[in-house]
Amino acid sequence: TGWTSPGRDKDTLMRCCMSIDMPPEQCGEMMCNFSPESIAWRETMSSLELLQDYGPSDKVVKMGLKVPWLLRYMMSIPDEMAMRIVYRTDYPNPGDTSYVVVPFDVEKQVALESVGPMKIKSGVISPHPDSPGKTMLRSLDSANLSMMPDWGLGMLLKSHVSKQIGSMQRLFKASEYCK
């Protein structure tokens, strides 16, 4: 399920809740591991480079993005961007993994309010309450999507996000890392 709501200024808040057919530990690894090996299950990225390591669950990475030219132009998406990824296991509850991803200025060592349309991605990965071995992913993201019509945004959330997570899951399970 996905919901959108107007945010501050031109921001759009996007909330998703989905069931994923894999154990929470694997889903947490799939979503929060941004090592160079993770490129094997990230179809929207062409490269990943570790820039800063603040500890086992706090990294700054430079991501090369695979985005169609027209979308890149319309949304002012750069070819590469630095992001800080922080996650915590067993938070907010035992068995949960919480994460946040924000644009980052490596020179100044500060989080940025935005890069292109990207503002903040956050979520909680939890054991499914009714199905052992499955995961519930709940996310709340903020982005400047003012260039996209409302009908296009709904279509993007309904089709693209679930397909992207499904593809990521399939590629993760097939990766050498997972084996």
Side-chain angles (χ1 to χ4, degrees), residues 55-84:
S57 57
D58 188 350
K59 313 262 188 251
V60 175
V61 298
K62 180 169 64 172
M63 303 173 179
L65 304 174
K66 287 186 199 174
V67 179
W69 176 86
L70 183 58
L71 197 56
R72 184 183 305 273
Y73 176 76
M74 282 176 41
M75 299 177 79
S76 301
I77 299 172
D79 292 334
E80 296 179 328
M81 67 171 78
M83 304 297 276
R84 186 167 185 179

Side-chain angles (χ1 to χ4, degrees), residues 17 19-21 24 126-136 138:
C17 182
S19 174
I20 299 178
D21 190 18
S126 304
H128 195 288
D130 303 322
S131 300
K134 288 190 175 185
T135 300
M136 289 303 298
R138 294 173 180 90

Side-chain angles (χ1 to χ4, degrees), residues 52 54 58-60 82-86 100-115 118-121:
Q52 298 280 340
Y54 295 112
D58 188 350
K59 313 262 188 251
V60 175
M83 304 297 276
R84 186 167 185 179
I85 298 104
V86 179
V100 65
V101 180
V102 295
F104 196 74
D105 184 319
V106 178
E107 271 185 35
K108 296 178 182 175
Q109 294 290 298
V110 296
L112 298 172
E113 184 174 337
S114 65
V115 170
M118 169 69 180
K119 298 259 183 182
I120 187 169
K121 297 182 71 56

Side-chain angles (χ1 to χ4, degrees), residues 1-22:
T1 308
W3 301 269
T4 63
S5 176
R8 189 176 47 130
D9 298 323
K10 296 180 179 182
D11 295 351
T12 299
L13 300 175
M14 297 165 287
R15 182 173 170 238
C16 289
C17 182
M18 66 179 69
S19 174
I20 299 178
D21 190 18
M22 67 187 336

